Amino acid sequence: MLDLSMIIGDQTVAGTTTFDILNPATGELVGKAPNATEDDLERAVAAAKAAFPRWAALPDAERKAICGKLAGQLEQDAESIARVLTMEQGKPLGGMGSRFELGGAQAWAGYTASLDIPVKVLQDDNEGRVELHRKPIGVVGSITPWNWPVMIAVWHILPALRAGNTVVIKPSPFTPLSTLLAVKAMCEVLPAGVLNVVTSDDTLFNVGAAMSAHPDIRKIVFTGSCGTGEKVMRSAAPTMKRLTLELGGNDAGIVLPDCDPEAIAEGLFWGAFINNGQTCAAMKRLYVHDSIHDAVCDALVAYSRNVKVGNGLDETVHLGPINNKKQFDKVRALVASAGKEGNVLIGGAPDEGLFYPVTLISELDDQSPLVTEEQFGPALPIIRYTDVEEAIAQANDSTNGLGGSVWSRDIEAAKRIALRMECGSVWINKHGAIQPNAPFGGVKRSGIGVEFGEEGLFENTDIQVVFQ
């Protein structure tokens, strides 16, 4: 059993109390995490604030070199962190599971560390020179979710550090152990106080809410639900914090009539069910033209029958359990309601514990709760359409706008439709294929700002214009 500590400044802090982390596949105790107090948070913020001037003042090349070592630190401990990640989150070790996540974390860390923050010359003529400088903000607070805890931690931490900020991170109470291990590895090469981690189940003290309101935290990066994102915005408003919010999605996929159902089945499946559907940018709704609707359904059912659900430590497993009971109950309720309205093609009934079978439901009305709400689990509604204009309108009829996809042999036709979709990212003949050099973020209720690439890095800076 793991019994890990927080890292605050140059100290490991055990906490006065702990909370249990259970394996969603077995219900067994994986480890204990410290329950931070208000004093712990204050000390973490103070440590980050004290470390900021020296870290921000480092020559850019030196700070870049230190950040460049973080990917290697994660690589050294990747297998041990991956095993802990599987035990606390539930995802399989192999495939697109925990080892995949650790590999992604390394890739994002390495790429982000390599980025530069140049001075931009806006004017240089007889009337004068005008330069745009990007300066670090200060202490950045990071609040991460339970679905991709290590990779999202890296998405938050690396651009903040690369830009010259210091960080206090608070991971989800469902999956803190892998983040504690990842932060410990990174802190081995970072100066004291530059990166701090506090953990809490929020029963004694709501650390996330306190971070959002804290006057010495100058920016919050939050990945999670729209409802919690609203609370972060409200509590951050009095201190005028910078915000980057990557919130919920209800991504739509549109399949055009020229597709080969069997050729796209695998891509559709993993676009919807990567991480058991517990991914913000997973496909949550699938619109299929009437002429190939039944064939696409048949191809997806056939592919689904070969996908093994089970304990992620079993190397033959493709999908693990739903991470926690609250999310399990939500998926179960949505599927139960949809099962009364539509046609359950496969799945539909929960298994033992937190395991839920891959579920495909067709013939649903576009206003069914399984269609309009983000299920965040292994259930996909398939909606029949006859007019592509109707499909586009239905895809856009959502308060969310994170991602979307168009599936067609005609790339130009697909691109024309893609440009009409109201979402931050659109993929053609794939879904959810994010990459570190491409900005990622949502529109409407799916968030504010972007992550990744130069644009994501720059969101961790304040602009200062120098006139001379």
Side-chain angles (χ1 to χ4, degrees):
M1 183 195 75
L2 288 171
D3 190 359
L4 301 178
S5 297
M6 299 179 286
I7 298 176
I8 298 174
D10 59 354
Q11 297 181 333
T12 56
V13 178
T16 55
T17 62
T18 61
F19 58 99
D20 294 343
I21 310 302
L22 304 180
N23 185 331
T26 65
E28 296 173 349
L29 181 67
V30 179
K32 295 178 177 290
N35 227 338
T37 63
E38 184 174 3
D39 181 62
D40 291 327
L41 176 62
E42 289 298 330
R43 286 193 291 141
V45 175
K49 185 178 180 181
F52 171 68
R54 182 175 294 181
W55 179 248
L58 282 179
D60 187 70
E62 185 176 345
R63 188 167 58 243
K64 182 178 183 179
I66 295 172
C67 289
K69 296 177 181 178
L70 300 183
Q73 291 298 112
L74 292 171
E75 183 179 14
Q76 281 184 0
D77 296 338
E79 183 63 18
S80 59
I81 296 173
R83 292 190 69 84
V84 172
L85 175 56
T86 287
M87 289 189 287
E88 67 175 352
Q89 202 280 335
K91 64 183 65 183
L93 269 172
M96 287 184 280
S98 294
R99 293 187 184 113
F100 172 81
E101 179 168 346
L102 266 293
Q106 294 163 49
W108 255 269
Y111 180 81
T112 305
S114 73
L115 293 173
D116 291 315
I117 308 177
V119 175
K120 185 176 182 180
V121 178
L122 305 179
Q123 176 183 325
D124 191 9
D125 56 24
N126 292 335
E127 296 182 1
R129 181 180 174 90
V130 182
E131 297 175 346
L132 185 154
H133 294 252
R134 292 190 172 272
K135 303 175 68 175
I137 297 169
V139 178
V140 173
S142 160
I143 305 173
T144 56
W146 48 260
N147 58 335
W148 296 90
V150 177
M151 189 147 65
I152 293 177
V154 167
W155 293 352
H156 290 192
I157 292 168
L158 259 294
L161 298 185
R162 178 67 190 90
N165 304 292
T166 54
V167 174
V168 176
I169 183 170
K170 189 261 183 189
S172 165
F174 293 110
T175 54
L177 302 178
S178 54
T179 304
L180 286 169
L181 291 172
V183 168
K184 180 182 178 182
M186 289 188 279
C187 282
E188 290 179 9
V189 298
L190 290 168
V194 169
L195 175 58
N196 309 269
V197 57
V198 291
T199 53
S200 170
D201 64 0
D202 296 330
T203 56
L204 301 177
F205 172 60
N206 192 321
V207 173
M211 288 172 64
S212 300
H214 201 293
D216 289 335
I217 294 179
R218 297 305 310 140
K219 174 176 178 172
I220 288 286
V221 190
F222 170 76
T223 302
S225 71
C226 297
T228 305
E230 289 180 16
K231 294 177 182 178
V232 169
M233 288 189 72
R234 281 196 293 269
S235 59
T239 54
M240 289 293 179
K241 283 181 176 52
R242 303 293 185 266
L243 293 173
T244 298
L245 306 177
E246 195 266 278
L247 307 178
N250 194 7
D251 290 16
I254 299 176
V255 177
L256 300 186
D258 66 343
C259 284
D260 177 347
E262 292 190 0
I264 64 172
E266 182 177 5
L268 289 174
F269 182 91
W270 290 112
F273 295 112
I274 183 173
N275 201 32
N276 217 14
Q278 300 169 124
T279 298
C280 291
M283 188 194 308
K284 311 289 172 53
R285 304 173 282 154
L286 181 61
Y287 296 88
V288 183
H289 191 268
D290 177 68
S291 64
I292 59 170
H293 174 275
D294 292 351
V296 168
C297 288
D298 290 344
L300 278 171
V301 168
Y303 189 88
S304 300
R305 292 193 191 283
N306 295 316
V307 174
K308 183 177 179 180
V309 178
N311 189 328
L313 292 178
D314 179 345
E315 295 277 5
T316 67
V317 160
H318 302 104
L319 296 176
I322 294 176
N323 175 259
N324 59 81
K325 190 175 186 305
K326 180 180 179 181
Q327 192 58 40
F328 179 90
D329 289 344
K330 179 179 181 179
V331 173
R332 179 171 56 183
L334 287 172
V335 170
S337 174
K340 297 174 183 177
E341 306 168 24
N343 180 24
V344 179
L345 303 173
I346 191 170
D351 292 331
E352 294 184 2
L354 295 178
F355 290 103
Y356 206 99
V358 170
T359 298
L360 301 169
I361 303 180
S362 67
E363 308 304 340
L364 287 174
D365 183 89
D366 195 54
Q367 295 306 306
S368 167
L370 185 60
V371 178
T372 60
E373 297 181 28
E374 182 184 25
Q375 65 274 51
F376 218 68
L380 179 68
I382 304 172
I383 303 103
R384 187 191 302 266
Y385 76 89
T386 55
D387 182 347
V388 71
E389 293 298 321
E390 170 194 1
I392 296 169
Q394 290 178 336
N396 289 337
D397 185 21
S398 173
T399 57
N400 294 110
L402 191 58
S405 58
V406 185
W407 303 73
S408 174
R409 297 181 186 182
D410 186 337
I411 302 301
E412 289 305 313
K415 185 176 179 180
R416 288 193 295 271
I417 294 171
L419 289 169
R420 295 175 60 191
M421 296 182 75
E422 297 171 358
C423 48
S425 299
V426 188
W427 295 274
I428 294 174
N429 293 328
K430 54 189 172 183
H431 195 106
I434 56 175
Q435 53 194 63
N437 63 335
F440 176 71
V443 301
K444 297 192 273 190
R445 278 176 56 81
S446 286
I448 294 174
V450 297
E451 299 177 278
F452 313 162
E454 187 178 77
E455 291 83 358
L457 175 63
F458 288 174
E459 293 222 357
N460 290 272
T461 64
D462 281 333
I463 289 175
Q464 184 179 63
V465 179
V466 177
F467 299 83
Q468 62 189 66

